Amino acid sequence: MATDSSSPHRLSAEQARRVAVRAQLLDAPARRRGLDVLEVVRALTMVQVDLTARVAPSAELVLWSRLGGGLDRDELPARCEEQRLVEISMRLLHHDDVALHRAEMAVWPDPALHDPYEHAAWEWALDNGGCRADVLERLRADGPLPATALPDTCVRPWGSSGWSNGKNVDKLLQVLATRGEVAVAGREGRTRLWDLAERVYTDDPLPPVEVALHERGVRRLAALGVARARSAKVPGPDPDHVGEVGEPAVVEGVRGRWRVDPAQLAALEEPFEPRVALLSPLDRLVFDRKRMVELFAFDYQLEMYKPQAQRRWGYYALPVLVGDRLLGKVDATADRRAGALVVHAVHEDEPFGAETRAAVRSEIEDLAGWLGLEPVLPG
């Protein structure tokens, strides 16, 4: 590893993986740190919202992977109801971080910061100014409300290839949320409830947008440990890249330049304590599939959208982390009527040793117990 701050740090593949695992609170000490749900979300910067419950909703799985079976399943919805966790663009954020995102909302869309399609979406909303006013007035009077309770008085329909055709109100709400005019106030089952943003977000002072974007990059790198300075843009408030924060690095066997978190560099001098963990398919460690392949050489896809005959690992297979390597998948289904967590298969990308196999079984049993189910394993 380089010590000259003017040249990139040289990380071995193992060091890069360990930096990423530690930053995501997936090393052995994580469950002994006494963290709660709010602290974990703050450390990760965000938790993806996906309500697929083949095993459990993704946000719950992400928290269980860090906190284990002692996690109170009522804590996450309670923190959301209290708005100490706030949903923005299908991500749950710690309430203290919301101002960093509102700073960008306040200038959106900005010619220097936002893409042409974002400007086009805002122009579409302006063309439907009457509907915008109707939606805001209805929310002011009766919010929080689901999208289906809001009037569609658009004079210019939203056009698409088919996914969002005819969903004028849904699209308008997304635009107004990006603008910081409305916000998700909670959920009724799977349905989002919308309200005026001023009634959801705390009225904290907003930093200049440049300061906010820089701080978000610093916090994102701290959560990822090692990341690309630039990568393909993804929807939502938290991209996969981090800009020029942190320190430059190169990773053995991977082309191009990376950025590494200084605190995680310092932690490389400490012993790494491995553990086995089962991850959500949308866990931040594997969410950026390109980075996952580059750092972990892990072959994985979420196959729930594939025809059954084309699936290799299962509808909602859980990646298996073993120390600093991703080495398999657990294909499981929570059969709540039968009271069972049914494990259809444990796929070993490389043969597990007896210790790893026992640790994977222990994690499956912990997950089943946390879900209030009995584990049913193959064989």
Side-chain angles (χ1 to χ4, degrees):
M1 200 170 54
T3 57
D4 179 0
S5 61
S6 65
S7 62
H9 296 275
R10 298 189 176 277
L11 301 178
S12 69
E14 179 184 72
Q15 286 174 324
R17 293 194 302 268
R18 291 184 174 186
V19 161
V21 168
R22 270 181 165 150
Q24 280 288 293
L25 306 181
L26 286 167
D27 56 331
R31 289 188 178 180
R32 302 197 298 269
R33 288 174 180 151
L35 299 177
D36 63 16
V37 164
L38 287 177
E39 291 168 318
V40 170
V41 175
R42 187 83 196 277
L44 302 182
T45 72
M46 66 90 172
V47 175
Q48 183 79 26
V49 175
D50 183 272
L51 302 179
T52 302
R54 184 74 166 209
V55 176
S58 180
E60 296 183 22
L61 282 174
V62 167
L63 293 167
W64 168 80
S65 294
R66 277 75 179 173
L67 299 173
L71 170 65
D72 184 348
R73 292 199 70 195
D74 292 331
E75 186 176 355
L76 178 62
R79 299 297 169 259
C80 293
E81 186 174 348
E82 298 164 356
Q83 294 179 349
R84 300 180 73 189
L85 291 177
V86 179
E87 183 177 331
I88 297 178
S89 295
M90 298 295 289
R91 274 83 161 169
L92 292 178
L93 310 179
H94 191 284
H95 63 96
D96 285 348
D97 290 341
V98 170
L100 298 177
H101 294 267
R102 288 182 56 228
E104 184 178 6
M105 295 175 185
V107 302
W108 186 90
D110 182 282
L113 297 175
H114 302 116
D115 292 336
Y117 75 87
E118 296 176 89
H119 291 270
W122 179 237
E123 288 297 326
W124 172 82
L126 292 177
D127 287 348
N128 289 298
C131 186
R132 175 188 175 199
D134 292 341
V135 165
L136 293 175
E137 181 55 36
R138 181 68 188 279
L139 290 177
R140 184 172 290 106
D142 300 319
L145 292 170
T148 53
L150 297 172
D152 181 358
T153 55
C154 287
V155 295
R156 179 185 157 198
W158 176 260
S160 78
S161 58
W163 181 258
S164 55
N165 259 351
K167 298 183 178 180
N168 295 329
V169 173
D170 287 322
K171 188 61 186 179
L172 184 61
L173 287 168
Q174 292 174 30
V175 172
L176 297 183
T178 306
R179 179 79 172 180
E181 297 183 10
V182 303
V184 177
R187 284 181 179 264
E188 196 169 76
R190 301 173 62 89
T191 302
R192 287 179 290 184
L193 300 177
W194 296 90
D195 205 346
L196 300 180
E198 65 199 49
R199 297 204 291 233
V200 176
Y201 303 148
T202 56
D203 191 22
D204 297 325
L206 301 186
V209 67
E210 297 82 4
V211 173
L213 293 175
H214 175 80
E215 178 61 21
R216 281 164 56 183
V218 169
R219 302 240 313 103
R220 193 178 312 121
L221 181 58
L224 294 171
V226 58
R228 292 285 190 184
R230 294 284 179 270
S231 67
K233 185 162 182 170
V234 296
D238 227 5
D240 295 324
H241 55 260
V242 297
E244 298 304 314
V245 302
E247 298 184 21
V250 293
V251 178
E252 173 191 17
V254 182
R255 296 176 62 183
R257 298 297 179 95
W258 295 74
R259 308 297 295 187
V260 63
D261 177 49
Q264 290 300 332
L265 277 175
L268 284 173
E269 306 300 324
E270 303 170 7
F272 180 78
E273 299 181 56
R275 59 169 286 229
V276 169
L278 306 183
L279 307 180
S280 161
L282 301 178
D283 196 286
R284 196 79 187 267
L285 192 72
V286 298
F287 188 78
D288 180 349
R289 304 297 198 228
K290 184 174 186 295
R291 175 178 177 269
M292 175 192 75
V293 171
E294 290 175 326
L295 295 184
F296 293 91
F298 187 51
D299 185 12
Y300 180 80
Q301 290 181 340
L302 178 57
E303 297 181 316
M304 60 190 286
Y305 301 111
K306 286 187 174 184
Q308 185 171 354
Q310 296 178 19
R311 296 175 191 148
R312 292 181 287 170
W313 306 303
Y315 182 92
Y316 199 76
L318 309 179
V320 178
L321 177 70
V322 182
D324 61 21
R325 301 187 64 200
L326 292 161
L327 292 183
K329 300 96 178 168
V330 169
D331 177 15
T333 301
D335 186 341
R336 292 170 176 83
R337 288 187 178 180
L341 178 66
V342 180
V343 178
H344 309 289
V346 177
H347 301 281
E348 301 179 12
D349 293 8
E350 298 179 15
F352 294 170
E355 185 177 346
T356 296
R357 197 167 286 116
V360 170
R361 184 185 184 96
S362 177
E363 286 296 295
I364 291 170
E365 291 171 348
D366 186 88
L367 175 59
W370 176 65
L371 293 171
L373 306 173
E374 288 293 323
V376 177
L377 287 91

